[in-house]
Amino acid sequence: MREKRVDLKIPAYVRETLTALETAGHQAYCVGGCVRDSLLGRMPEDWDVTTSALPEETMKVFGNRAIPTGLKHGTVTVCCQEGKVETTTFRRDGVYADHRHPEQVTFTPDLTEDLARRDFTVNAMATDLRGTVYDPFNGQADLQEGILRCVGDPERRFSEDALRILRCLRFAAVLGFSIEPETGKALMTCRNLLREMAPERVHEELTKLLCGPWAPAVLRQYPQVVGVVLPEILPMVGFDQRNPHHCYDVWEHTLHALDAAPSDSVLRWAVLFHDMGKPECFALDTQGIGHFMGHGVVSRRIADGVMDRLRFDNAAKERIGELVEWHDHRVETEKGIRRMLNRFGEQNFRALLTIQRADNMGQAEEFRGRQKEIDRIEAMLDRELEKGSCFSLKQLAVNGNDLLGLGLSGPAVGRTLQGLLDRVMDGTLPNDRDALLTAAGKIR
């Protein structure tokens, strides 16, 4: 086994866990992603420990601080004041009948056997308290070269746990690593196994993938793999837009727009979805130029179907859907700004402008002057907010009680308030209490 000593910044509570296990006579190591990220100079999100201690021995070492979260698979969660440490016994995995979980595991005293069952060489490293890295599969070399390579036979690794297919793409998108050719070939060979994965896990992995800095490059290389769980992207691939504003097909345009969007899950999903309706809406005019009338509405319908299938929460689904449907909407005036603020609120309106910027960056270079137009709109937005312009009912200088005092009742109160707000936003009526009550009296 290759060994190398490094100075990993192992947190105190994790060191305490390792020390307690070693003191009790067991081997104990940090393992997997926390080692990989530490060697890359990244702050690990979680610290996992692997140990020669059997689950019941781990429970005995930590007493009431130990939670039996997965005794069947050797996992005990150790609770410390600063965090939790998932501690798992060295093991060999049995058959993966569902392409996700082993039906049974066998505990082993051999660290190398435990590392051999893991997905990628960069995740098959362990380190002890003294900073000694145990690396039987050359993970450090692949880490230095920026390569994702399966441990052992890649088809076997992906057949065991099909979610590893998306994890591979996600790591490539987040870390900027290339995928070793045999591993890449196995991705394609095994891709249909993804159909059996739980939608919640697919959603989670795709979200992490999309937010990675290298997501466009990964999606460009492997659309047929992602297309197994997102078949809605496949009609976009190679679809010629036949329009001078677009030098790319729909898929390439989407990838360029994605590259220009901030690494935010709502924005990245919205950009991925924003032109999904284009192939369905495509029409040529008499000059042979392509147009996509109403594609925002169609894209939202398609996006809603995807989000239902992948179990998005309702708030995210609504927000993403609105951004997709309205991504092509233009605003020209202060009145339009106030109307958009009324519909979306400041945060979502700014998000919409961000998506429009990204969308424009995916167009032909000579048509990217829209960036200046969006600058102008944002400046108008800032001025409207600085002025304290009224764009919501709670900002209106009158309320329902005022209208009840005028003798209005029932639904008429809400309708009248909305009518007053519309006139204030249009600039035909000042947001002044007396003026609003006078106008309300006339409406009544």
Side-chain angles (χ1 to χ4, degrees), residues 275-332:
D275 276 353
M276 275 188 173
K278 276 191 168 181
E280 186 175 328
C281 296
F282 179 69
L284 287 174
D285 65 19
T286 55
Q287 282 75 46
I289 295 175
H291 299 278
F292 306 92
M293 296 295 292
H295 76 276
V297 173
V298 176
S299 295
R300 179 173 188 172
R301 170 173 53 77
I302 296 171
D304 282 345
V306 174
M307 291 189 284
D308 284 340
R309 187 174 73 242
L310 297 185
R311 314 285 171 80
F312 280 62
D313 66 78
N314 289 334
K317 179 185 171 185
E318 180 62 23
R319 190 175 178 213
I320 293 169
E322 286 275 274
L323 293 172
V324 171
E325 181 175 346
W326 286 73
H327 78 270
D328 218 22
H329 183 75
R330 301 293 181 97
V331 181
E332 304 289 344

Side-chain angles (χ1 to χ4, degrees), residues 173-174 206-215 262-266 268:
V174 171
L206 287 178
T207 298
K208 292 177 180 178
L209 189 166
L210 281 175
C211 291
W214 290 273
S263 183
D264 171 88
S265 60
V266 167
R268 287 285 176 105

Side-chain angles (χ1 to χ4, degrees), residues 331 348-358 370 374 377-378 381:
V331 181
N348 282 357
F349 185 23
R350 290 192 186 278
L352 182 63
L353 294 176
T354 299
I355 286 172
Q356 291 183 347
R357 282 191 184 281
R370 173 132 168 79
I374 297 173
I377 294 167
E378 287 191 322
L381 168 59

Side-chain angles (χ1 to χ4, degrees), residues 27 63 136:
Q27 299 175 56

Side-chain angles (χ1 to χ4, degrees), residues 160-200:
E160 289 171 341
D161 181 355
L163 198 65
R164 288 170 174 167
I165 297 169
L166 290 184
R167 280 169 55 83
C168 185
L169 299 184
R170 185 247 292 184
F171 286 136
V174 171
L175 301 175
F177 283 14
S178 62
I179 297 173
E180 179 267 330
E182 289 303 311
T183 300
K185 195 180 300 181
L187 286 173
M188 291 294 292
T189 301
C190 300
R191 67 187 186 276
N192 285 320
L193 296 175
L194 287 171
R195 300 184 194 280
E196 303 177 39
M197 294 300 96
E200 295 86 353

